[in-house]
Amino acid sequence: QRINRELLNSGANILEMNTVRKHLSRIKGGRLAAGCAPARVVTITISDVPGDDVSVIASGPTVADATSCADALDILQRYGIDVPPAVRAQLERGELETPKPGDPRLQGHEVHLIATPQQSLEAAAAAARAVGLNTYVLSDEIEGESREVGKVHAALARSAALGRSDFKTPCVILSGGETTVTVRPRVEGQAKGKGGRAGEFCLGLAQALNGIKGVWALAADTDGIDGMEDNAGALVAPDTLARAAAQGLKVTDHLARNDAHGYFQPLGDLVVTGPTHTNVNDFRAVLVI
């Protein structure tokens, strides 16, 4: 659990995190299916990862794993994450290896995807078209630092708002995927920041939009929980920066301590849905009028 928390804070992407978790778990990385042998296993899954790779969803407990102990060690070293000496030794000797493609214990198994990020974006696009908006789905596989992804979306929205884009207004720009947040070192005496990747996306977006007229946005985690807080995400409006400034809130300060929750809560701009009990990854919608 400690290693998992450090991975979440490191900026590692979902593939890297799962590579490590598979090799430290007794059920992930195909081990659950191997443990069920010779029974035939049918897996019904909801995708919460870019590209819908079934070996990554929930760390693939019933799917063969192509990654190795060496890969897991490389990731741990890259992000400076310590592991107990005994576990490191087992990884180095390859003793924690997972079932690989072609493993006879996994033959004849089936995997069915019943909900995916792309389906959620298509449903949102249909809802937007129904009220007369042009819709543009960027991708369901967008990754990267949340604040930087927010800046890219802001650039697209600004171009559309200024009539310098192939995106015809009024429109909604939609995207999904799984961004990351690299948690900044905490400064002594500074309050601990709260928030998740959806909120941090909104901070980066609001900063880059700089109050341009005619652009609103929503970013949320489809499971209803952004990070460890009680909100699913946040909203951005043309007057977000001005309302925040009136309360003495600065985007730069909150980005510096990864404190999206502390920025949007006083504005009343947190999106609170409660747990949805499902998860098809991040959801982002930018409305340009």
Side-chain angles (χ1 to χ4, degrees):
Q1 290 176 339
R2 189 264 303 167
I3 290 170
N4 187 58
R5 285 194 299 270
E6 292 187 15
L7 283 167
L8 286 168
N9 290 336
S10 71
N13 64 37
I14 188 63
L15 178 60
E16 292 170 323
M17 288 191 285
N18 279 336
T19 297
V20 174
R21 292 190 291 216
K22 287 176 182 180
H23 291 88
L24 301 183
S25 168
R26 292 183 178 181
I27 64 168
K28 300 181 187 297
R31 286 193 174 98
L32 178 61
C36 291
R40 177 169 167 264
V41 176
V42 177
T43 302
I44 299 172
T45 185
I46 295 174
S47 174
D48 64 345
V49 301
D52 305 331
D53 184 344
V54 294
S55 72
V56 179
I57 300 167
S59 300
T62 60
V63 182
D65 174 37
T67 69
S68 67
C69 286
D71 294 329
L73 276 169
D74 179 65
I75 292 163
L76 290 165
Q77 181 175 346
R78 189 184 315 151
Y79 292 102
I81 296 172
D82 292 327
V83 294
V87 175
R88 177 174 292 278
Q90 286 180 294
L91 288 170
E92 290 172 345
R93 293 192 297 265
E95 294 174 4
L96 301 181
E97 205 51 271
T98 49
K100 302 304 175 198
D103 190 306
R105 294 172 295 176
L106 276 60
Q107 294 301 308
H109 294 190
E110 294 181 15
V111 179
H112 302 276
L113 285 163
I114 62 169
T116 68
Q118 183 64 29
Q119 290 173 342
S120 73
L121 296 176
E122 290 171 357
R129 284 193 294 268
V131 295
L133 295 170
N134 297 307
T135 63
Y136 303 96
V137 178
L138 301 181
S139 172
D140 69 335
E141 297 187 44
I142 293 177
E143 298 180 87
E145 279 290 321
S146 294
R147 62 181 67 191
E148 301 303 324
V149 174
K151 292 175 183 178
V152 172
H153 282 63
L156 295 173
R158 288 179 65 88
S159 295
L162 296 172
R164 302 173 183 170
S165 168
D166 290 336
F167 293 173
K168 303 303 179 184
T169 59
C171 69
V172 171
I173 302 168
L174 300 167
S175 74
E178 184 154 3
T179 59
T180 55
V181 174
T182 301
V183 177
R184 271 54 181 176
R186 186 175 175 183
V187 177
E188 186 176 352
Q190 184 185 74
K192 183 180 179 181
K194 298 194 297 183
R197 58 185 188 246
E200 184 133 335
F201 167 91
C202 288
L203 283 177
L205 180 82
Q207 182 184 48
L209 287 174
N210 197 29
I212 191 172
K213 294 181 180 179
V215 180
W216 290 260
L218 176 153
D221 198 314
T222 54
D223 66 4
I225 301 297
D226 186 28
M228 301 296 291
E229 306 310 319
D230 59 358
N231 63 305
L235 300 168
V236 174
D239 64 349
T240 293
L241 296 183
R243 287 186 291 119
Q247 297 193 40
L249 303 172
K250 295 181 180 180
V251 169
T252 52
D253 291 346
H254 286 263
L255 277 170
R257 61 178 186 269
N258 306 107
D259 188 27
H261 191 279
Y263 186 84
F264 290 106
Q265 185 180 44
L267 303 180
D269 287 344
L270 293 177
V271 175
V272 180
T273 62
T276 62
H277 306 294
T278 190
N279 184 13
V280 288
N281 228 323
D282 298 342
F283 175 83
R284 298 175 287 268
V286 183
L287 172 65
V288 186
I289 301 298

